[in-house]
């Protein structure tokens, strides 16, 4: 070969730089990496389960995760299908069993954390990230509502704790924590769902009692509840006329009817009628007329609870679709070798990991002590992101499974069941439309306040 007649090309970028990691940095990264846990197929577990470092979790979270997964594998997974096939409610004694293994029975909202027995509280105490792990792990068993009443307890008990008198708390708190009793949140009505300020159920004072009349609908766990945190109208129209009462289900005049749902469940939702039910005035939670404010603060935590379980359901859609796409062959090759199927898997995974990151961020706000009054928009957007992600993943997983996803048997039965669960994430706890409007209104109000402040400086 003849030497080239062209002059050598000059690299005007200068000498190539190599990024080197110091031994100290490498050791720090290795020390902060998490021990792999669970399914190591990429995307089938959160990143920190698969050996990646995380700023959020420590040894107590790792141990707590192990307890949660062990409980689900031993007490729920082997029994869930049987409960659903027989249309049974899951055994309520699971709550006491969970507590005995160091797991919560009424969530881990700030006001609840200190009420658990000292022997189950990890060093340094429980925090919102423990609750995220707990909710995520319960959902690993798949849809069906197992242990769902613990989630409802976590929504109905906080108003009793942060606003109820010692006498009100004494009626219910310790028994719910111990797994002996349950409590449901009774707000929605046939004519008032997301519009809480429009409720019609009334509580008229007669001496030392309120006479309660009205109907409540979509009350999750009402058939399992021993008590209700009940929203009633004690005053005029609007939010300022709403109060909360602690109501014993044994009170005469209460009728509870379980309703059939679109989704399979061993938990369930109910229609409740109050017909001249007499409730002691001493069972008022907090101040009369302040119930709407208590509920607004309580809704934020409820939306985090829903979002975490919903994220795991979306991840299950992805996991089922990923593994099926490697087994199933079409047109002479595995489904996962088709570019469009890979696109579906990649897009599912993108949305799931973004949602999980947002769940961790909001949980960290709670852990850091950010008050509920500042988390309204974040919690609202989080829940919308969760239900939209789940809806997308359920649809695309169904497309991957094809005909197998529209029958309640065979390889697609899990995805078929998940698909029927989607609306139960999108509507309860505030519909997508209402929550997006809430976040936008808060953003506009904040922008106007900022603009006014800036103008005042001129």
């Amino acid at each position: 070969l003849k030497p080239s007649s062209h002059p050598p090309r000059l690299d005007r970028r200068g000498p190539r730089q190599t990024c080197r990691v110091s031994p100290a940095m490498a050791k720090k990264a290795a020390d902060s990496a998490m021990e792999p846990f669970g399914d190591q197929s990429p995307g089938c577990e959160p990143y920190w389960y698969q050996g990646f470092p995380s700023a959020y979790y420590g040894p107590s979270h790792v141990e707590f995760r192990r307890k949660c997964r062990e409980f689900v594998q031993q007490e729920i997974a082997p029994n869930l299908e049987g409960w659903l096939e027989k249309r049974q409610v899951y055994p309520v004694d699971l709550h006491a069993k969970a507590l005995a293994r160091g797991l919560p029975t009424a969530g881990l909202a700030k006001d609840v954390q200190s009420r658990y027995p000292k022997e189950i509280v990890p060093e340094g105490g429980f925090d919102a990230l423990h609750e995220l792990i707990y909710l995520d792990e319960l959902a690993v068993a798949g849809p069906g509502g197992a242990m769902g009443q613990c989630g409802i307890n976590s929504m109905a008990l906080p108003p009793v704790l942060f606003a109820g008198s010692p006498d009100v708390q004494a009626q219910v708190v310790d028994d719910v924590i111990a797994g002996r009793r349950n409590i449901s949140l009774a707000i929605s009505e046939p004519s008032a769902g997301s519009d809480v300020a429009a409720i019609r159920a009334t509580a008229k004072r007669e001496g030392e009692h309120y006479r309660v009349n009205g109907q409540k609908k979509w009350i999750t766990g009402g058939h399992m509840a021993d008590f209700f945190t009940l929203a009633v109208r004690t005053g005029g129209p609007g939010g300022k006329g709403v109060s909360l009462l602690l109501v014993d289900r044994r009170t005469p005049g209460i009728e509870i009817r379980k309703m059939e749902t679109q989704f399979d469940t061993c938990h369930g939702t109910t229609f409740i009628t109050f017909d001249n039910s007499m409730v002691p005035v001493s069972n008022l939670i907090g101040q009369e007329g302040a119930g709407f404010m208590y509920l607004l603060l309580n809704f934020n935590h409820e939306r985090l609870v829903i979002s975490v379980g919903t994220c795991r359901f979306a991840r299950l859609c992805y996991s089922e679709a990923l593994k099926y796409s490697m087994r199933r062959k079409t047109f002479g090759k595995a489904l996962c070798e088709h570019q469009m199927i890979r696109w579906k898997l990649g897009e599912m995974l993108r949305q799931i990991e973004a949602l999980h990151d947002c769940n961790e961020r909001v949980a960290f706000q709670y852990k850091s002590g950010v008050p509920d009054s500042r988390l309204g928009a974040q919690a609202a957007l989080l829940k919308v992101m969760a239900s939209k992600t789940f809806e997308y993943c359920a649809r695309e997983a169904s497309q991957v499974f094809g005909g197998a996803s529209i029958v309640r048997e065979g390889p697609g039965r899990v995805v078929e069941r998940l698909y029927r669960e989607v609306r139960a994430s999108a509507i309860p706890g505030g519909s997508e439309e209402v929550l997006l409007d809430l976040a936008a209104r808060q953003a506009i109000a904040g922008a106007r306040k900022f603009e006014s402040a800036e103008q005042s400086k001129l």
Side-chain angles (χ1 to χ4, degrees):
L1 294 176
K2 294 182 179 180
S4 171
S5 59
H6 297 286
R9 180 178 295 174
L10 296 177
D11 189 343
R12 300 185 183 278
R13 296 172 296 181
R16 183 173 296 174
Q17 299 293 320
T18 302
C19 180
R20 296 182 179 178
V21 178
S22 71
M25 291 176 64
K27 184 179 185 302
K28 183 177 180 181
D31 290 344
S32 62
M34 295 289 184
E35 188 73 22
F37 180 88
D39 190 339
Q40 294 303 294
S41 299
C44 293
E45 302 276 14
Y47 280 126
W48 73 284
Y49 285 48
Q50 299 189 331
F52 288 91
S54 172
Y56 294 120
Y57 306 105
S60 74
H61 299 104
V62 171
E63 173 61 15
F64 185 71
R65 178 184 62 183
R66 182 195 63 77
K67 292 179 181 179
C68 292
R69 181 67 62 97
E70 191 175 83
F71 179 78
V72 169
Q73 289 178 338
Q74 294 178 1
E75 301 290 346
I76 298 177
N79 302 308
L80 179 59
E81 199 64 36
W83 296 332
L84 295 175
E85 287 180 358
K86 296 175 184 176
R87 303 172 71 83
Q88 294 178 338
V89 175
Y90 73 87
V92 72
D93 65 0
L94 276 183
H95 296 184
K97 288 182 178 180
L99 187 71
R101 294 195 181 202
L103 306 183
T105 51
L108 290 169
K110 181 181 177 182
D111 295 296
V112 182
Q113 291 173 11
S114 62
R115 302 303 292 255
Y116 287 103
K118 291 182 180 180
E119 56 267 23
I120 80 163
V121 179
E123 185 177 353
F126 282 124
D127 60 40
L129 291 159
H130 288 98
E131 183 167 40
L132 186 153
I133 293 168
Y134 174 69
L135 296 167
D136 183 42
E137 285 295 323
L138 283 184
V140 167
M147 294 291 285
Q149 189 61 38
C150 288
I152 299 302
N153 290 342
S154 80
M155 301 172 190
L157 202 59
V160 175
L161 285 167
F162 67 68
S165 67
D167 288 342
V168 168
Q169 293 183 24
Q171 293 183 53
V172 64
V173 175
D174 289 343
D175 281 342
V176 171
I177 293 295
R180 292 188 292 267
R181 291 190 174 186
N182 294 294
I183 183 170
S184 283
L185 193 60
I187 304 173
S188 297
E189 299 179 358
S191 60
S194 295
D195 187 6
V196 176
I199 64 167
R200 297 178 181 178
T202 59
K204 296 182 179 180
R205 184 162 181 172
E206 298 181 4
E208 294 304 309
H209 287 80
Y210 287 107
R211 183 182 296 274
V212 178
N213 283 284
Q215 297 175 324
K216 294 294 177 179
K217 192 175 184 180
W218 308 292
I219 307 308
T220 306
H223 55 303
M224 296 180 71
D226 299 285
F227 288 90
F228 299 101
T229 299
L230 177 68
V232 291
R233 185 162 300 286
T234 53
K240 293 182 179 179
V242 175
S243 300
L244 296 182
L245 297 175
L246 179 69
V247 179
D248 190 320
R249 74 169 292 164
R250 297 170 298 182
T251 302
I254 298 177
E255 181 182 331
I256 303 170
R257 174 174 63 84
K258 188 176 180 183
M259 297 191 293
E260 295 298 317
T261 59
Q262 181 183 48
F263 49 91
D264 294 335
T265 181
C266 59
H267 188 211
T269 195
T270 59
F271 191 104
I272 305 176
T273 301
F274 297 86
D275 184 9
N276 292 314
S277 300
M278 304 301 289
V279 179
V281 170
S282 58
N283 278 25
L284 178 69
I285 298 173
Q287 298 178 352
E288 191 170 286
F292 185 67
M293 179 186 66
Y294 301 149
L295 292 175
L296 288 182
L297 296 177
N298 197 56
F299 279 147
N300 294 335
H301 175 259
E302 177 181 351
R303 288 160 188 160
L304 174 62
V305 170
I306 294 171
S307 296
V308 174
T310 298
C311 184
R312 176 58 78 163
F313 285 169
R315 197 181 292 277
L316 287 174
C317 290
Y318 161 83
S319 177
E320 291 288 316
L322 171 68
K323 293 170 182 179
Y324 183 72
S325 75
M326 294 188 294
R327 299 193 307 268
R328 170 73 166 156
K329 290 187 176 181
T330 61
F331 304 102
K333 58 183 178 181
L335 273 178
C336 63
E337 294 177 11
H338 295 279
Q339 186 179 27
M340 180 52 71
I341 299 300
R342 293 197 300 272
W343 184 90
K344 291 178 184 294
L345 294 170
E347 182 63 12
M348 280 192 271
L349 190 54
R350 179 186 70 81
Q351 294 188 33
I352 292 163
E353 298 301 358
L355 171 59
H356 190 83
D357 286 351
C358 288
N359 282 331
E360 290 179 326
R361 170 176 52 79
V362 173
F364 183 71
Q365 304 308 305
Y366 276 110
K367 179 183 177 181
S368 301
V370 177
D372 267 295
S373 57
R374 293 187 60 199
L375 291 174
Q378 287 193 47
L381 292 175
L382 179 69
K383 183 182 173 293
V384 174
M385 184 179 184
S387 59
K388 285 184 174 290
T389 297
F390 182 24
E391 183 169 23
Y392 178 85
C393 291
R395 181 191 186 281
E396 295 304 327
S398 295
Q399 292 299 110
V400 172
F401 274 89
S405 71
I406 60 173
V407 292
R408 302 185 184 188
E409 59 181 57
R413 66 185 182 278
V414 173
V415 169
E416 187 277 333
R417 182 174 288 162
L418 283 161
Y419 198 95
R420 287 185 285 112
E421 191 86 20
V422 170
R423 302 266 56 87
S425 297
I427 296 173
S431 70
E432 293 173 349
E433 295 79 6
V434 169
L435 295 184
L436 287 172
D437 182 63
L438 167 66
R441 284 189 288 109
Q442 289 197 0
I444 292 166
R448 284 176 174 163
K449 182 178 180 181
F450 175 75
E451 189 175 84
S452 176
E454 291 297 297
Q455 289 292 328
S456 67
K457 294 177 183 178
L458 300 179

